[in-house]
Amino acid sequence: MAALSLDVLQPTGTHVFVKPVKKIQEEQDVSVFLHSRAYKDITAFITQLNRSMFPTAIGGDNPPQKSTQVWEIGSAFVSYSSTVQSLRDLLDRLEAIIEEAPPDTGPRRFGNVSFRKWYSIVEARISELLRAYLPAKVLTASGNSTEATTAGTELEAYLLGSFGSPQRLDYGTGHELSFVAFLACVWKLNGFEQRTEGAEERGIVLGLIEPYLQLIRRLIKIYTLEPAGSHGVWGLDDHSFVPYIFGSAQFAPAISNGEQIPAEGSLAQAPDPADVAKSNVVQRERKRNMYFSAVGFIYDVKKGPFWEHSPILFDISGIRAGWAKINKGMIKMFNVEVLSKFPVVQHFPFGSLLRWEQEPSNLFSATSPHTANHAVEVDFDGPQSGTALTREPSSGTTAVREGSTSGVSLAAATGTVAPWANSSMTSMAPPTLRGAIGDITASRDRYRPRTHPRLPVRDTQAIHASQTSRAVPAEIGKTNLPTRAPWASSEEG
């Protein structure tokens, strides 16, 4: 099956650029968005970038001739095109503006008001910055606009929307989505090079998205930006989502050019998913992997046991089928928890590049490891009394691919901890609010404890357990308690 790829705008001279505007006014509008051309383009771009981050199998069929090329943060094997390098310089310029807007030292309850100054400086210079750091062919793309609306007008809207809200002094996954949209628009305007075998896509992820996330993390720390629309401990992450998609792909089994994405398995020598609860492993791996880099930022800004402040990530770390299984689930979860949530997408603007018009075809109608279900189930043995969980991916580094009839058949245990580890899941069509979101909300309400979010308060020994192990209290192992993951219901909407 051919890999999904975002289409490039054809230089016909008839395209009409329009200023992006808000279209999602109420929750019912999300259903319209999920069938729009913008939704199709965004999901195609995410899928395209995700595939490029899987390690590449190199060499012949014989084991002595085979080797694997991994794509790590800062890898010398990842090359940057002129556009990627230029946009990296743009991110550096944006970071330098922090020196012009030092944080206010006065008393404050929420975010630092100096962020508004930083944002206003960027807003005033945005047109100049794009002219300086984007190829001229992107900003002068042929069009037939009746007003003074250009490609730059649309790009500015998405780039400015990716740094957080100066009014609310917050940042969340909706702003992160805006940066992905900015890059998708540059792609559609033929601003990136069309290189083979995912080379340009890897440059975008490691050369632009990861530095962007580093910039955002610095803004959050310096200006103490609040999480936007956070679910608290019941969300995956207060601020980001895409690093968990691309970071899990980095540790998945290697694939050859044209080969299907694996459904299960892990790269040889990849850390165990349970290692996210070990601070020493996180500090080591965050330098080369985007998943651990995001978890490392959580360690920077939150204190206490990992299972307590990040129970969803902790639950996901119990997946035994490897990083490919986690990656597959992250794609589905992004569709439900980001693209389908009104608080996240309500401010997303739509123009001529990312269009509000309905898309006749459905991106998720095709069968693929990230859009359909598998006969393979996850064997998750719940926490055992008084033991540290250091699970190994099932079948070592063996990849179980879509349609495979050989290899592993894993038995599913009750109380699975992840939404994608479910044999009864249906096709990942664009979710409806009544289905996907309603069921998730009900599940979250059903499983949220009345007192302590994870453990009985009296278990002080477990609450103060060392962060160097994934130890859990004995009381959890004694009974088959339901999972605390809000989306781990018996059925998926």
Side-chain angles (χ1 to χ4, degrees):
M1 183 182 68
L4 292 169
S5 179
L6 181 61
D7 294 333
V8 175
L9 189 67
Q10 298 301 318
T12 60
T14 60
H15 187 84
V16 178
F17 294 104
V18 298
K19 183 178 180 179
V21 295
K22 174 183 170 73
K23 294 286 189 180
I24 302 176
Q25 309 292 346
E26 54 187 1
E27 289 198 9
Q28 288 78 358
D29 294 332
V30 177
S31 297
V32 181
F33 165 60
L34 294 176
H35 293 86
S36 69
R37 294 182 182 273
Y39 173 84
K40 176 187 176 182
D41 287 344
I42 291 169
T43 48
F45 192 55
I46 289 287
T47 303
Q48 179 179 347
L49 297 179
N50 180 62
R51 179 182 177 84
S52 74
M53 294 308 299
F54 276 70
T56 301
I58 304 173
D61 297 331
N62 297 325
Q65 299 174 331
K66 296 181 69 174
S67 62
T68 299
Q69 178 61 64
V70 296
W71 311 110
E72 299 178 348
I73 297 174
S75 172
F77 296 99
V78 178
S79 60
Y80 302 141
S81 66
S82 58
T83 301
V84 171
Q85 185 57 57
S86 185
L87 289 176
R88 285 169 60 84
D89 295 338
L90 170 60
L91 293 174
D92 290 340
R93 279 286 301 276
L94 294 171
E95 185 172 9
I97 295 176
I98 295 175
E99 302 300 325
E100 302 179 42
D104 183 70
T105 57
R108 62 187 182 277
R109 182 178 180 185
F110 298 111
N112 196 295
V113 294
S114 291
F115 175 70
R116 291 170 180 156
K117 180 179 180 180
W118 180 90
Y119 188 93
S120 65
I121 294 173
V122 174
E123 186 176 25
R125 300 177 186 173
I126 191 68
S127 297
E128 172 192 345
L129 291 171
L130 288 181
R131 286 194 300 268
Y133 292 103
L134 273 178
K137 67 176 183 178
V138 173
L139 298 177
T140 59
S142 58
N144 190 27
S145 300
T146 57
E147 300 178 358
T149 303
T150 65
T153 305
E154 300 201 30
L155 293 173
E156 289 175 15
Y158 294 114
L159 185 58
L160 275 175
S162 67
F163 302 119
S165 170
Q167 292 79 29
R168 300 183 301 274
L169 300 178
D170 62 13
Y171 176 89
T173 51
H175 303 108
E176 178 188 68
L177 176 63
S178 189
F179 187 73
V180 174
F182 166 74
L183 296 176
C185 289
V186 175
W187 182 280
K188 294 196 72 171
L189 291 168
N190 204 23
F192 293 110
E193 294 182 10
Q194 301 298 313
R195 295 191 283 170
T196 59
E197 300 180 359
E200 188 71 354
E201 288 89 339
R202 282 189 288 274
I204 292 172
V205 174
L206 295 176
L208 294 177
I209 294 180
E210 176 60 22
Y212 159 78
L213 293 171
Q214 295 296 337
L215 168 62
I216 291 302
R217 290 162 191 164
R218 189 177 178 200
L219 292 175
I220 291 171
K221 283 185 174 182
I222 290 178
Y223 299 117
T224 58
L225 300 181
E226 294 289 312
S230 170
H231 294 299
V233 297
W234 298 108
L236 180 74
D237 187 296
D238 283 344
H239 304 102
S240 298
F241 201 107
V242 296
Y244 298 100
I245 296 176
F246 304 135
S248 56
Q250 287 177 285
F251 283 145
I255 59 175
S256 302
N257 187 31
E259 187 178 6
Q260 287 188 337
I261 288 178
E264 296 190 358
S266 292
L267 183 71
Q269 308 303 320
D272 192 281
D275 287 342
V276 296
K278 301 177 182 178
S279 60
N280 61 325
V281 179
V282 171
Q283 297 307 316
R284 181 190 73 216
E285 297 295 334
R286 69 186 299 182
K287 301 174 184 177
R288 68 189 187 107
N289 177 266
M290 295 180 67
Y291 193 106
F292 279 85
S293 179
V295 172
F297 181 68
I298 294 177
Y299 276 86
D300 292 342
V301 298
K302 294 186 178 182
K303 305 301 178 184
F306 186 78
W307 52 261
E308 188 174 53
H309 59 64
S310 302
I312 304 304
L313 284 170
F314 181 79
D315 283 348
I316 292 172
S317 72
I319 294 296
R320 302 185 65 186
W323 287 103
K325 185 74 169 181
I326 292 175
N327 178 259
K328 169 193 166 189
M330 287 296 176
I331 291 286
K332 293 185 176 182
M333 191 176 178
F334 180 78
N335 190 47
V336 174
E337 293 294 313
V338 176
L339 298 180
S340 303
K341 286 296 179 68
F342 174 74
V344 177
V345 299
Q346 62 176 320
H347 300 295
F348 190 87
F350 299 85
S352 70
L353 297 174
L354 296 175
R355 305 175 67 87
W356 178 250
E357 285 77 6
Q358 298 295 282
E359 171 60 35
S361 63
N362 187 335
L363 176 65
F364 286 99
S365 61
T367 301
S368 73
H370 286 164
T371 62
N373 303 305
H374 307 273
V376 180
E377 299 171 338
V378 172
D379 176 19
F380 181 76
D381 302 322
Q384 301 301 314
S385 176
T387 60
L389 299 181
T390 54
R391 299 184 179 90
E392 296 294 332
S394 59
S395 300
T397 59
T398 302
V400 180
R401 288 174 167 78
E402 181 75 9
S404 173
T405 58
S406 62
V408 187
S409 176
L410 303 177
T414 58
T416 178
V417 296
W420 55 88
N422 192 324
S423 61
S424 62
M425 290 173 63
T426 58
S427 177
M428 191 55 186
T432 62
L433 291 171
R434 179 174 294 180
I437 294 181
D439 291 346
I440 290 170
T441 303
S443 177
R444 181 183 296 117
D445 294 339
R446 181 167 66 252
Y447 291 137
R448 180 180 287 124
R450 296 177 182 273
T451 55
H452 195 281
R454 292 290 292 181
L455 294 176
V457 176
R458 65 178 181 275
D459 197 342
T460 57
Q461 180 179 1
I463 292 178
H464 297 91
S466 171
Q467 286 292 288
T468 59
S469 66
R470 197 171 182 268
V472 294
E475 296 190 13
I476 288 183
K478 291 180 180 179
T479 59
N480 187 21
L481 296 177
T483 176
R484 297 295 192 264
W487 27 250
S489 58
S490 59
E491 294 183 358
E492 182 175 339

